Amino acid sequence: MVDINCPEGSVDFEEEEFHQQLVNDFASVDLFNDDDPLDNLFFHRVESDQIIYQPRQKRAKLIGKYVMGDILGEGSYGKVKECLDSETLCRKAVKILKKKRLRKIPNGEANVKREICLLKKLHHKNIIHLTDVLYNEEKQKMYMIMDYCVGVLQEILESAPGQVFPTWQAHNYFCQLINGLEYLHSQNIVHKDIKPGNLLLTTDAVLKISDFGVAEALDPFANDDTCRTSQGSPAFQPPEIANGDDTFSGFKVDIWSSGVTLYNIMTGKYPFEGDNIYKLFENIGKGEYTIPDEVDALLSSLIKGMLEYDSQKRFTIRQIKAHDWFRKKHPRTLDYVPPPPLPDSDDHLRCMTVLPYLEDLYMNEQTEEEEDYNDEEIFLGTSEIPKDVEQLDEGPTYIICHNKSGVKKKKKRSVSVRKFNFNMCKQS
Amino acid sequence: MPLFGGKHKTPQELVRTLRESLIYLSQCRDRDDKKAQKASEEVSKTLNTMKNMLYGTADQDPQTEITAQLAQEMYNHDMILLLVTHLDRIDFEGKKDVAQIFNNLLRRQFGTRFPTVDHISTKKQILVILVRGYEYPEIAMICGMMLRECCRHEELVRMILEFDEFYNFFAYVEVSTFDIASDAFSTFKELLTRHKILCAEFLEQNYDKVFTHYQKLLNSDNYVTRRQALKLLGELLLDRHNFTTMTRYISSADNLKLMMNLLKDKSRNIQFEAFHVFKVFVANPNKPRPILEILLRNQEKLVHFLSKFHNDRSEDEQFNDEKAYLIKQIKELKPLDEQH
């Protein structure tokens, strides 16, 4: 006999009630009062070619007080999904980390621990805010609830014509980056991995510095910002790291990477490239780069100050803030690069993806009444949910089975699988 | 110019009207006489028109040329100084319009230049009057709004920090009217935290003067003042830009004693804020002799006290880690003669 496995973790409170109601419902369906012998109602083998899969229905899933939405992105550690705080109704993002996968990444677990520890202390408009951390020991998963962001600067940049932002837009992002960085440095933190791929944007175009996986908290009593290690992205590393210096100034590493970021969002190119990491580091180590001709003198002097080979002479945040390109008002032009829609979606407005799940959660009664009658099909189904953790996120699988049993009745009620109590058949 | 409808005054005319009415208002003895009332109405009306010119209205966007003319006219006739000087004579709505006009003008930018900032830089009195505005309840909050707008500009903050009047803030944040005190505190905080390096230099150079004043806030009878001051102190000391100031602060035995007393304050919130300053003294790897002596003298008591300190904050992991760390540090303190 087939049994319905309700997926773990899905919302099935009121289930008892549900079934009770279905029992009542069921009696009213004249499926059983058919002229045909009852035998016909028993299950028969269904050939696989006769099975049509219905698109999966969105099923609400709650993690703590957060209602899960669609996937926003995926990384080596797991997924990032949109979610909704059901108490405050704030739109949030949740980073789902799996211990299994973390163990495979070098320093994975340690980095995540450090990241959480650092993020908890940080409160600034331009730094991603960690609202909550939830653990599920059973599933070996960790959920980090953070600000909802519509996109990564890098993705937006890639969607832009010529892979550059208009000046006013780039200037706006850059100023926010510098403000966030100034705060980080004031809190004794060196980010070490500043790049467009780690800068997120909220719906109201506020830039959030994220990914503190390789960040370092300096000793608050140390006289200077000396660092010894760096695990940041190669193309954004300064010469002192490319050359393998034992110690270097941490804050100046972030200044350099911000300089490469500025170069990148204004020209669509990288100042240093190389076919492999050795070539790349060799080129950075030489410190020779060119600024494209279309870059004006003011901006190029800022870039030169930030990509200064000697970290001692490299600009400080104060010098950047005092620089005329930073201070200048760049008039807003009509061109604007918006965050692109999510993959597999054409929603440019990025509406809340939690909505369909909420509908599932609260509007079920209604859909039941609206369910139409279908002459051709009977909905039968099984929902075999593999015990695999991954599958728990999904709803049950629906199987539509064409009725070949020669049932003459014109009207057959299609009954949604979830509400069909198979034990009923058994008893009859 | 619209084809129909009432006469629209030019920016020049507006500024002239405002100027004349304001001067009349400031000179008349009896504010209730008819002429004064008329002048007062005229001032409010003109201010409102100016505001709409700068911000636009529902059916008209601001026009660049007219706003530029208005701003220029204001600078030429020293209108900003005049407005803040006679702010108390202007009615309630008018005062709000003054603040809005002021803030809009401050945000004007051409390339890298802020003309209003340049203008105010040459007229220090404007800032002095705004700071002293906290002494007059009817204009205190309006002045606060304008001052905080000024805080966006490093040049202006530098000027304010150099005034003797800056130290008046230590009194303003303690006044009995709660909303004025908290408004003054947020301005005070903005001045000391907004431009990190400027503030760090200021604290270093004026360390004695500032912290003598600050000490009074920490000893204030006013709970809110004490708590806010303590919180801000923690923020200032833990900001890397203020490294020199922090090192100096945590070398003073008096400061440590004060924090230890605040740890025992009757308010739990004060205790908690004091903890975040106290921890810096203990965590310091190079504790000067006087600090070590105090800690050693109280070694057992402190360990006992801390192990019972806010034990109900079990949710706050960071706090618990820090507390455990402090207890360990204090336990491991070696008497002075054993150290070398």
Side-chain angles (χ1 to χ4, degrees), chain A residues 227-352:
Chain A
C227 290
R228 285 160 210 286
T229 58
S230 173
Q231 304 178 40
S233 314
F236 293 83
Q237 300 293 303
E240 57 269 26
I241 289 175
N243 289 336
D245 291 7
D246 288 338
T247 61
F248 47 86
S249 153
F251 295 151
K252 291 296 174 72
V253 173
D254 285 344
I255 301 282
W256 176 280
S257 324
S258 305
V260 179
T261 303
L262 176 62
Y263 187 106
N264 183 228
I265 61 175
M266 285 299 295
T267 66
K269 305 186 181 83
Y270 292 96
F272 302 96
E273 282 173 306
D275 296 334
N276 54 49
I277 191 165
Y278 304 104
K279 283 265 168 61
L280 175 64
F281 273 175
E282 201 182 305
N283 291 338
I284 297 175
K286 284 185 207 144
E288 287 162 12
Y289 65 95
T290 49
I291 297 177
D293 295 338
E294 66 264 23
V295 173
D296 65 51
L298 202 56
L299 175 60
S300 97
S301 94
L302 175 60
I303 291 177
K304 279 179 192 152
M306 296 179 73
L307 297 184
E308 166 63 51
Y309 190 85
D310 181 353
S311 66
Q312 294 275 316
K313 288 190 207 149
R314 201 173 296 154
F315 275 2
T316 59
I317 288 203
R318 189 186 210 187
Q319 279 172 299
I320 296 171
K321 283 191 147 185
H323 192 278
D324 279 351
W325 191 83
F326 187 96
R327 287 169 49 97
K328 201 175 150 189
K329 184 176 181 182
H330 299 272
R332 188 174 170 151
T333 44
L334 289 174
D335 43 354
Y336 162 65
V337 184
L342 286 174
D344 320 320
S345 144
D346 54 359
D347 177 13
H348 284 270
L349 297 174
R350 301 294 291 267
C351 294
M352 194 160 74

Side-chain angles (χ1 to χ4, degrees), chain B residues 127-136 147 160-175 180-181 183-185 187-188 191 202 209-210 213-214 216-217 225:
Chain B
L127 294 174
V128 178
I129 293 168
L130 288 180
V131 171
R132 301 204 69 147
Y134 276 115
E135 288 163 31
Y136 309 96
L147 274 175
I160 298 175
L161 291 178
E162 279 168 5
F163 294 157
D164 284 334
E165 281 81 2
F166 169 73
Y167 297 90
N168 293 358
F169 270 102
F170 290 96
Y172 300 154
V173 299
E174 267 202 285
V175 296
I180 295 179
D183 192 283
F185 195 88
T187 310
F188 177 68
L191 286 168
F202 168 76
K209 195 172 179 187
V210 173
H213 281 87
Y214 211 103
K216 287 178 205 151
L217 297 186
T225 309

Side-chain angles (χ1 to χ4, degrees), chain B residues 39-160:
Chain B
S40 173
E41 273 167 34
E42 192 69 33
V43 167
S44 319
K45 213 173 81 192
T46 318
L47 284 171
N48 191 270
T49 318
M50 285 179 162
K51 185 189 81 179
N52 290 339
M53 224 175 229
L54 293 171
Y55 285 90
T57 52
D59 33 46
Q60 175 135 44
D61 284 337
Q63 290 164 282
T64 329
E65 205 167 300
I66 296 198
T67 53
Q69 278 180 26
L70 179 61
Q72 198 51 51
E73 207 62 21
M74 300 275 283
Y75 307 141
N76 290 347
H77 292 92
D78 266 350
M79 279 311 291
I80 297 180
L81 180 59
L82 198 68
L83 279 173
V84 296
T85 314
H86 303 300
L87 197 55
D88 58 327
R89 299 273 171 135
I90 301 171
D91 70 9
F92 181 68
E93 285 301 323
K95 281 183 194 130
K96 288 202 297 188
D97 287 343
V98 171
Q100 290 217 47
I101 292 169
F102 182 90
N103 292 356
N104 182 294
L105 289 178
L106 256 187
R107 287 186 183 220
R108 290 176 62 76
Q109 186 181 5
F110 294 110
T112 56
R113 271 189 60 240
F114 291 87
T116 311
V117 175
D118 297 345
H119 175 77
I120 296 177
S121 304
T122 61
K123 309 233 172 288
K124 286 188 180 187
Q125 310 98 292
I126 296 176
L127 294 174
V128 178
I129 293 168
L130 288 180
V131 171
R132 301 204 69 147
Y134 276 115
E135 288 163 31
Y136 309 96
E138 68 275 20
I139 57 166
M141 316 274 271
I142 298 285
C143 290
M145 273 170 69
M146 294 191 262
L147 274 175
R148 280 192 297 280
E149 190 65 34
C150 293
C151 285
R152 298 161 62 97
H153 302 281
E154 192 168 331
E155 300 93 308
L156 301 183
V157 173
R158 178 180 291 115
M159 286 166 65
I160 298 175

